[in-house]
Amino acid sequence: MTSPKWRRVRGRHVSTMPTTPTSYHTQTEAYFRRGKRRDTPWETPPHLTPAPSYHHRHTHTHTHTHHLCRRLLTRRLRPTAMSLRALREILQRPGNDTCADCGAPDPDWSSTSLGVFICLACSGIHRNIPEVSKVKSLSLSRWEDHEVQFMADHGNELMKKKYEAAVPVYYYKPSHRDCQVLKEQWIRAKYERKEFTDPEWKFTYEQDTRDGALMKRGRDNGQFLSRRFVLSAVEGTLKYFTKYDAKEPKAVIKVDSINATFQPEKIGHHNGMQITYLKDYSTRNIFLYHDNGKDIVDWFNSIRAVQLHYLKVAFPGASDAELVPKLTRNFLKEGYMEKTGPRQTEGFKKRWFTLDQRKLMYYKDPLDAFAKGEVFLGSKDNYSAAAGLPAGTYCNGAWQHGITMETPERCFLFTCETEAEQQDWLKHFNDVISAQMSPQEYTMEAMFKHRH
């Protein structure tokens, strides 16, 4: 009769089989050194797969072995101390301390096929073009020596010289504060389409005429309907038609009065864009989108290209550096505040405010076509903004953090929901008021006074 393989000691089953010279820990380490099953990281090696009776009687031993496998594989996946040290040294080089695509500080990802350091947000876009970019984390991924050397030989500054060699001056380079569609199309234009590597590249943004359909929000019913838009560099206009075969446009907008900015959250579409222009001395808003991200960004940069062409004709002696800031711009700040009327005895009402350079506009709804009112912010000689409300002001709302704005025409009273919002609005107001006014802004101030 053969001796049993197991005996009971203090309530536990203990093996009576002789111990082999090679322990299961040694076998496990050797198994992973041979590089088996790297694609199934937590699968137990064959020599450690228990028989059913073993599994049921000795779950503790099996679990311990499973955790050992996990620790060994985790050790394989993490970067070594040497590669981490080398990557940190490479990051200290000029240009590598910010994202190569959006400028965000302290990038913690990289493209090992392009040789650039990028932020987490841009790494997600790179991951969507795997045929162009291979993404790795600087701290979580395992790095091979040749990959570290590739990053050392390239880097952000060198790759920008290659992939941004011929970016047109009017092309909008997004920052980390911009929306996803702008960053995505910027990255795809650089690395996937390679638009800016060839100085002879023919840009679609520079066509004399751009003609196509965009979804436009109706002024009265709020529905988005397809409308034909025509941008003409020769005429310096943007026209839109209610019907594609209509002979007469619904509106003709001069490009020198246009501002375009992306507003995905406000419009409720990830490719949403807002166009503003002057109509009868009032600001008119048009809300648009296109389902294709490339198309809507192409429209945006085409508008900027036509604007730059117009400005070069209007100001022949001006440099590109002087003209580019006059193209499309983002709003300085938007959000809700409460305001009272001119007599300051009316109740405070919640309004949506938009600060666009020196114009403060307020709306009943963020998607209104026209503002209920506009305030011009001039220089600090005649304009001021301070925290608090005048003594005796009746504040009927729940928001108690007041702002008093003094203009030559009247005094405006606002309230904010939080103190942080109050301080942020005040900072923007005082930054605008403290800035020196341009001749065009003095003209705009005179127009406001004439209109009111």
Side-chain angles (χ1 to χ4, degrees):
M1 181 177 178
T2 58
S3 60
K5 295 182 180 181
W6 307 96
R7 63 188 177 88
R8 195 170 183 82
V9 178
R10 294 181 182 178
R12 297 175 58 191
H13 284 82
V14 179
S15 174
T16 60
M17 298 296 289
T19 304
T20 57
T22 305
S23 69
Y24 72 89
H25 291 280
T26 305
Q27 293 180 52
T28 303
E29 291 192 14
Y31 177 82
F32 285 108
R33 287 196 192 99
R34 291 197 301 269
K36 302 295 185 181
R37 300 176 186 248
R38 293 185 183 181
D39 295 332
T40 55
W42 311 134
E43 184 175 343
T44 307
H47 68 279
L48 296 176
T49 303
S53 59
Y54 181 91
H55 177 73
H56 291 296
R57 295 179 182 180
H58 299 276
T59 305
H60 174 76
T61 304
H62 177 58
T63 303
H64 175 75
T65 305
H66 179 77
H67 287 313
L68 173 65
C69 302
R70 185 166 186 160
R71 286 198 301 272
L72 288 167
L73 274 166
T74 302
R75 200 178 306 154
R76 291 182 61 85
L77 294 173
R78 287 177 180 167
T80 63
M82 187 178 297
S83 65
L84 273 175
R85 211 164 33 244
L87 287 170
R88 289 196 188 102
E89 291 176 1
I90 300 170
L91 278 171
Q92 300 303 315
R93 298 179 184 177
N96 292 343
D97 57 343
T98 58
C99 175
D101 298 322
C102 72
D106 304 320
D108 49 4
W109 290 76
S110 69
S111 171
T112 58
S113 56
L114 296 172
V116 295
F117 294 95
I118 52 180
C119 67
L120 175 62
C122 290
S123 74
I125 301 172
H126 279 254
R127 196 174 286 110
N128 289 332
I129 46 176
E131 65 280 3
V132 175
S133 185
K134 308 297 182 185
V135 177
K136 275 196 172 184
S137 168
L138 300 183
S139 58
L140 301 177
S141 303
R142 180 170 179 83
W143 285 73
E144 303 295 338
D145 291 342
H146 69 89
E147 293 173 329
V148 176
Q149 187 60 47
F150 184 82
M151 299 303 297
D153 293 341
H154 294 79
N156 290 2
E157 284 199 346
L158 185 61
M159 291 299 96
K160 281 188 177 182
K161 291 178 181 179
K162 175 182 178 180
Y163 291 105
E164 300 181 23
V167 181
V169 293
Y170 58 80
Y171 192 99
Y172 185 82
K173 297 181 181 181
S175 74
H176 61 282
R177 298 183 180 88
D178 283 302
C179 64
Q180 180 78 359
V181 67
L182 276 172
K183 290 187 285 189
E184 178 179 357
Q185 293 307 314
W186 165 238
I187 290 171
R188 288 184 179 274
K190 279 206 298 183
Y191 306 120
E192 187 179 43
R193 300 192 291 270
K194 297 182 181 179
E195 293 184 12
F196 313 124
T197 58
D198 182 6
E200 303 299 322
W201 184 278
K202 301 299 182 183
F203 294 104
T204 60
Y205 329 112
E206 298 177 2
Q207 297 174 352
D208 290 340
T209 302
R210 186 175 188 87
D211 190 331
L214 295 170
M215 299 299 291
K216 175 186 171 295
R217 187 179 189 271
R219 184 182 67 179
D220 301 321
N221 58 20
Q223 294 181 343
F224 280 91
L225 299 172
S226 179
R227 295 288 183 257
R228 180 191 175 199
F229 282 78
V230 178
L231 177 66
S232 172
V234 177
E235 298 177 4
T237 59
L238 175 66
K239 304 175 184 178
Y240 77 88
F241 303 77
T242 55
K243 294 182 179 180
Y244 204 84
D245 57 352
K247 294 182 179 180
E248 296 297 326
K250 177 70 173 179
V252 179
I253 310 166
K254 292 289 186 181
V255 292
D256 61 324
S257 69
I258 289 178
N259 183 41
T261 180
F262 279 85
Q263 297 279 5
E265 294 182 4
K266 184 197 290 189
I267 295 174
H269 193 281
H270 53 279
N271 295 336
M273 184 171 69
Q274 178 177 349
I275 288 180
T276 62
Y277 65 97
L278 286 178
K279 181 179 181 180
D280 300 328
Y281 301 102
S282 296
T283 302
R284 169 77 160 96
N285 299 311
I286 296 178
F287 302 98
L288 311 166
Y289 74 82
H290 196 289
D291 287 327
N292 185 287
K294 181 181 183 302
D295 282 350
I296 194 69
V297 174
D298 284 356
W299 272 101
F300 176 70
N301 281 303
S302 294
I303 290 173
R304 290 174 60 87
V306 174
Q307 286 181 325
L308 182 62
H309 174 77
Y310 171 85
L311 289 172
K312 284 187 173 182
V313 173
F315 306 98
S319 65
D320 289 341
E322 294 173 314
L323 297 179
V324 168
K326 300 179 183 296
L327 306 183
T328 63
R329 60 196 177 273
N330 293 324
F331 298 137
L332 297 178
K333 184 173 174 61
E334 284 193 296
Y336 282 107
M337 288 193 292
E338 292 181 336
K339 71 173 292 293
T340 186
R343 293 191 298 271
Q344 301 180 4
T345 57
E346 306 91 335
F348 280 79
K349 295 181 180 179
K350 187 176 179 181
R351 295 288 183 257
W352 177 265
F353 284 80
T354 297
L355 180 60
D356 181 13
Q357 294 185 321
R358 291 189 178 271
K359 288 195 300 182
L360 177 66
M361 298 164 282
Y362 53 93
Y363 304 84
K364 188 175 181 179
D365 185 273
L367 297 178
D368 283 346
F370 290 96
K372 290 186 70 66
E374 300 184 32
V375 183
F376 183 84
L377 302 184
S379 65
K380 58 185 178 181
D381 297 332
N382 300 308
Y383 297 80
S384 66
L389 300 173
T393 301
Y394 172 67
C395 191
N396 63 310
W399 296 358
Q400 303 296 321
H401 305 279
I403 295 176
T404 299
M405 179 182 291
E406 296 280 356
T407 74
E409 288 74 35
R410 57 169 282 196
C411 176
F412 292 89
L413 305 182
F414 311 125
T415 57
C416 301
E417 185 176 13
T418 64
E419 184 179 359
E421 273 293 292
Q422 175 202 48
Q423 294 302 314
D424 196 37
W425 276 110
L426 280 172
K427 178 184 181 304
H428 283 88
F429 289 155
N430 287 314
D431 286 348
V432 170
I433 291 171
S434 300
Q436 185 176 1
M437 289 178 60
S438 66
Q440 292 83 3
E441 290 172 335
Y442 279 110
T443 302
M444 184 183 296
E445 183 182 30
M447 182 192 72
F448 264 80
K449 291 179 179 179
H450 173 75
R451 190 179 69 183
H452 296 290

